[in-house]
Amino acid sequence: SQKIEQNSEALNIQEGKTATLTCNYTNYSPAYLQWYRQDPGRGPVFLLLIRENEKEKRKERLKVTFDTTLKQSLFHITASQPADSATYLCALEHGGYQKVTFGTGTKLQVIP
Amino acid sequence: ETGVTQTPRHLVMGMTNKKSLKCEQHLGHNAMYWYKQSAKKPLELMFVYSLEERVENNSVPSRFSPECPNSSHLFLHLHTLQPEDSALYLCASSQGTGTGEPGELFFGEGSRLTVL
């Protein structure tokens, strides 16, 4: 069956450290993968998109890697800040026609 | 107004009621989506409209009925819902080309639905 799994439901890290979140998938062949941030009671907000032929993408303190052999994406936040505390979702496009499926999310807490 | 706007933000309804959720996007996008988000579960894709045609219906019960009258508006009509349908319903839009590459999704703030 198809699955998108994010490494842990919750992750606590110290301010200033690098947070690393994992997204693993099975039985998908996505053309690309996306990461979103969701704050409580709000809709998700797009952060980064990485295509299957790209290994790495960066945006300010964010970095995403995509390994289609391992079927895994890693999402890094460097120099983390308490304001980075939120739930982070990975999402895959698959099956054409704009079908985007989301993982369960990882709730990140950055401790001052 | 900009972005994706959903109304109402909160809705409480009985199981025999009929209500509708509304979504409006001001981004010039041509694809719109309904997602359901329940506690401890991932976002569930319910419906996708591309160029006002429904292109995806993820085995959603018929008590949920979508309507897309034009590329800027999307409705979710609700009829004889169950308490387990209580959830956050999120609308999103994207600049889909119809060739299977939606790009990023822009979400509204959601409609929190409680079914009594």
Side-chain angles (χ1 to χ4, degrees):
Chain A
S1 64
Q2 294 178 314
K3 283 185 185 177
I4 305 172
E5 294 178 315
Q6 295 190 238
N7 59 327
S8 54
E9 203 173 306
L11 179 66
N12 295 330
I13 65 162
Q14 208 68 36
E15 181 177 4
K17 301 291 187 184
T18 296
T20 299
L21 284 64
T22 305
C23 177
N24 294 292
Y25 59 93
T26 54
N27 294 319
Y28 285 105
S29 296
Y32 56 85
L33 185 147
Q34 303 178 33
W35 284 89
Y36 289 78
R37 168 184 173 139
Q38 187 174 24
D39 291 287
R42 311 291 296 273
V45 175
F46 172 82
L47 295 174
L48 280 167
L49 179 153
I50 186 165
R51 301 182 188 281
E52 61 179 338
N53 59 351
E54 296 175 318
K55 296 295 183 189
E56 180 180 299
K57 185 164 273 189
R58 293 174 186 261
K59 179 183 175 182
E60 298 172 354
R61 293 185 296 111
L62 310 180
K63 185 178 87 170
V64 172
T65 63
F66 192 14
D67 189 325
T68 55
T69 301
L70 291 178
K71 296 188 183 294
Q72 180 181 80
S73 175
L74 299 179
F75 176 79
H76 306 273
I77 306 175
T78 58
S80 58
Q81 303 166 3
D84 295 325
S85 299
T87 295
Y88 291 86
L89 309 168
C90 72
L92 303 179
E93 177 276 338
H94 62 99
Y97 279 108
Q98 291 99 331
K99 185 171 181 177
V100 179
T101 301
F102 284 79
T104 47
T106 296
K107 186 174 181 179
L108 175 67
Q109 184 79 28
V110 180
I111 302 162
Chain B
E1 285 201 54
T2 58
V4 179
T5 304
Q6 290 188 242
T7 54
R9 291 294 310 277
H10 300 272
L11 178 63
V12 179
M13 59 187 288
M15 290 193 287
T16 57
N17 291 160
K18 287 184 183 180
K19 296 285 184 183
S20 296
L21 305 180
K22 178 183 175 182
C23 177
E24 186 173 356
Q25 59 98 358
H26 306 272
L27 300 167
H29 290 166
N30 56 27
M32 296 187 77
Y33 311 70
W34 280 116
Y35 281 89
K36 174 184 178 182
Q37 188 172 37
S38 306
K40 304 291 185 182
K41 294 177 73 175
L43 274 77
E44 299 172 51
L45 179 62
M46 299 176 72
F47 301 103
V48 181
Y49 276 83
S50 176
L51 301 171
E52 299 151 48
E53 280 191 39
R54 191 192 305 180
V55 297
E56 182 71 28
N57 172 3
N58 246 17
S59 303
V60 178
S62 59
R63 57 186 184 269
F64 295 92
S65 174
E67 179 190 0
C68 188
N70 56 61
S71 60
S72 299
H73 293 86
L74 185 65
F75 295 89
L76 188 63
H77 303 298
L78 315 170
H79 174 53
T80 57
L81 296 191
Q82 306 297 311
E84 59 265 29
D85 296 323
S86 299
L88 181 68
Y89 289 85
L90 290 159
C91 172
S93 71
S94 73
Q95 189 56 46
T97 61
T99 60
E101 183 169 313
E104 61 184 276
L105 299 180
F106 289 77
F107 283 88
E109 298 289 39
S111 294
R112 172 69 63 185
L113 173 66
T114 302
V115 182
L116 302 175

